């Protein structure tokens, strides 16, 4: 058996695909032959994704999605079916942070992070699951964070949702394994994206000291793990959380 | 056009991987036809598609036998 990853003939849906890790995942799945729908929160963002796909010779399109709106999700799902085919690879990547010390955290900071990072995973997955059970094949991959396992001061809301999606994945994996559907979680460490660019230089240096590989990860290094899980090569991995963090947190 | 009874029987047999002659009206999906809880959810989904209808969750839970499925379809699409 040789390791050949091809996603030809599959339709993949990647939320939050306009930049960072989501963009790298969408591009990687596309480069392996999948038809990819990458979502963005604005029309402009969706157009940029479409343009990027066209430049890279990737089949698919960018589409607008508000992951907190059931209506928006239903509309997107119908559009994907209409334009392409049913998506059987779902990558729940869209996420936000609203950091604050718990004693100062407002209800809105808690609620909006839970809505976008956790409740949206429930809604997206439920929407796509019917087609996957019918196809007797499916891949659901949640993007979590190392913070969901090790915790981080000022991120209790974010950490709760990132631990939450991993528990969600384990339960769902047990529920639908008999239908040929795998559900996994990928937990990135500190990756070189807009989300980590805002860190102060001193904090960045301190962080690097805790990473055995001595550098931040690249978005493509998360995307390649997602691609493996999405492919037939990763078909016996389910309910698992795969940490990709340069060794800063080892389980 | 086959009757509602025949269409329901065919779907139950297909979904649960049993012979059509074993799909008797009184047969319970779980006890007699070996369905698990996920099978019954998928069965309701298949009935919804065949009869182009939506069965509310609280009604779906009550459909536990072949006869109850046939009755529901007849009563709601008759």
């Amino acid at each position: 058996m040789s390791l050949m990853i091809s996603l030809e003939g599959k339709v993949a849906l990647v939320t939050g695909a306009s930049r960072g890790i989501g963009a790298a995942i969408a591009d990687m799945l596309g480069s392996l032959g999948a038809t990819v729908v990458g979502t963005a929160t604005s029309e402009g963002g969706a157009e940029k994704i479409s343009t990027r796909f066209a430049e890279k010779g990737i089949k698919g399109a960018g589409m607008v999605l508000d992951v907190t709106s059931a209506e928006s999700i239903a509309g997107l799902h119908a559009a994907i079916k209409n334009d392409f085919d049913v998506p059987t690879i779902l990558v729940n990547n869209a996420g936000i942070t609203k950091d604050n010390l718990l004693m100062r955290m407002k209800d809105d900071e808690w609620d909006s992070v839970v809505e976008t990072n956790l409740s949206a995973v429930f809604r997206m997955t439920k929407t796509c699951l019917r087609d996957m059970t019918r196809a007797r094949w499916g891949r659901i991959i949640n993007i979590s964070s190392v913070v969901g396992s090790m915790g981080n001061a000022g991120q209790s809301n974010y950490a709760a949702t990132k631990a939450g999606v991993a528990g969600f994945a384990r339960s769902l994996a047990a529920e639908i394994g008999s239908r040929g559907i795998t559900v996994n979680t990928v937990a990135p460490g500190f990756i070189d994206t807009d989300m980590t660019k805002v860190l102060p230089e001193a904090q960045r240096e301190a962080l690097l000291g805790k990473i055995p590989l001595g550098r931040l990860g690249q978005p493509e290094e998360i995307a390649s793990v997602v691609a493996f899980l999405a492919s037939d090569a990763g078909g016996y991995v389910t309910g698992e959380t795969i940490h990709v963090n340069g060794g800063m947190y080892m389980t | 056009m086959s009757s509602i009874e025949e269409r329901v029987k065919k779907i139950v047999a297909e979904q649960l991987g049993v012979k059509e002659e074993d799909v008797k009206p009184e047969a319970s999906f779980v006890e007699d036809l070996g369905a698990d809880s996920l099978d019954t959810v998928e069965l309701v989904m298949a009935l919804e598609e065949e009869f182009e209808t939506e069965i509310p969750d609280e009604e779906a839970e009550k459909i536990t036998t072949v006869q109850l499925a046939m009755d529901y379809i007849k009563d709601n699409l008759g």
Side-chain angles (χ1 to χ4, degrees):
Chain A
M1 185 177 168
S2 65
L3 183 59
M4 285 259 288
I5 292 184
S6 169
L7 300 176
E8 206 67 52
K10 306 287 188 198
V11 176
L13 170 55
V14 182
T15 63
S18 56
R19 60 201 169 116
I21 292 172
I25 292 169
D27 292 359
M28 178 90 64
L29 299 182
S31 74
L32 294 168
T35 298
V36 185
V37 171
T39 75
T41 50
S42 68
E43 282 290 348
E47 271 167 37
K48 270 188 201 154
I49 293 170
S50 292
T51 308
R52 198 177 75 229
F53 284 179
E55 282 167 8
K56 298 190 173 189
I58 291 168
K59 301 185 286 282
M63 292 186 183
V64 177
L65 172 68
D66 171 4
V67 292
T68 66
S69 153
E71 214 179 3
S72 175
I73 293 172
L76 171 84
H77 190 246
I80 297 172
K81 273 186 163 175
N82 183 57
D83 294 2
F84 305 106
D85 196 354
V86 294
T88 54
I89 298 171
L90 170 65
V91 183
N92 288 307
N93 168 75
I96 58 169
T97 56
K98 295 235 164 133
D99 299 354
N100 212 338
L101 295 173
L102 190 79
M103 283 193 286
R104 291 210 179 111
M105 191 173 286
K106 294 172 187 66
D107 282 7
D108 167 62
E109 289 169 336
W110 174 269
D111 291 340
S112 61
V113 169
V114 169
E115 269 296 307
T116 301
N117 296 7
L118 183 59
S119 301
V121 170
F122 155 71
R123 284 192 212 98
M124 292 296 298
T125 305
K126 191 176 170 191
T127 302
C128 294
L129 201 51
R130 192 181 265 227
D131 294 323
M132 292 185 197
T133 62
R134 200 179 291 117
R136 291 291 188 270
W137 193 94
R139 296 285 188 264
I140 298 160
I141 301 158
N142 299 328
I143 305 304
S144 176
S145 164
V146 66
V147 167
S149 295
M150 66 184 288
N152 194 22
Q155 292 199 304
S156 56
N157 50 359
Y158 183 74
T161 62
K162 293 304 184 180
V165 295
F168 172 86
R170 286 191 287 273
S171 295
L172 187 60
E175 228 174 271
I176 55 168
S178 62
R179 301 304 192 263
I181 301 166
T182 68
V183 193
N184 290 289
T185 305
V186 175
F190 283 87
I191 307 301
D192 196 7
T193 66
D194 291 346
M195 207 186 253
T196 53
K197 276 197 181 82
V198 298
L199 293 173
E201 191 55 35
Q203 205 182 335
R204 214 178 161 85
E205 285 303 314
L207 258 173
L208 286 176
K210 291 183 187 146
I211 302 173
L213 289 180
R215 62 178 177 84
L216 297 189
Q218 292 304 309
E220 292 72 23
E221 291 173 309
I222 303 302
S224 57
V225 175
V226 172
F228 165 74
L229 291 171
S231 74
D232 287 328
Y236 202 53
V237 182
T238 195
E240 196 53 66
T241 297
I242 301 189
H243 287 274
V244 188
N245 58 39
M248 74 175 282
Y249 178 83
M250 303 186 201
T251 56
Chain B
M1 190 67 178
S2 37
S3 69
I4 285 176
E5 279 90 348
E6 283 164 3
R7 288 160 74 192
V8 170
K9 264 191 181 183
K10 190 160 177 287
I11 286 169
V12 172
E14 271 174 18
Q15 282 292 320
L16 303 183
V18 294
K19 291 189 200 118
E20 262 187 69
E21 59 257 40
D22 293 333
V23 185
K24 306 211 162 55
E26 67 277 13
S28 149
F29 300 132
V30 174
E31 274 144 44
D32 301 316
L33 301 176
D36 65 17
S37 55
L38 186 54
D39 289 325
T40 58
V41 171
E42 283 188 309
L43 178 59
V44 168
M45 274 165 40
L47 290 170
E48 286 177 334
E49 273 159 35
E50 170 72 18
F51 295 100
E52 292 174 358
T53 181
E54 258 190 50
I55 305 175
D57 287 344
E58 58 271 23
E59 293 298 325
E61 280 166 19
K62 294 182 204 151
I63 303 175
T64 54
T65 68
V66 177
Q67 187 65 56
L68 288 168
M70 290 170 176
D71 291 348
Y72 180 88
I73 301 293
K74 279 186 206 159
D75 291 349
N76 290 277
L77 298 170

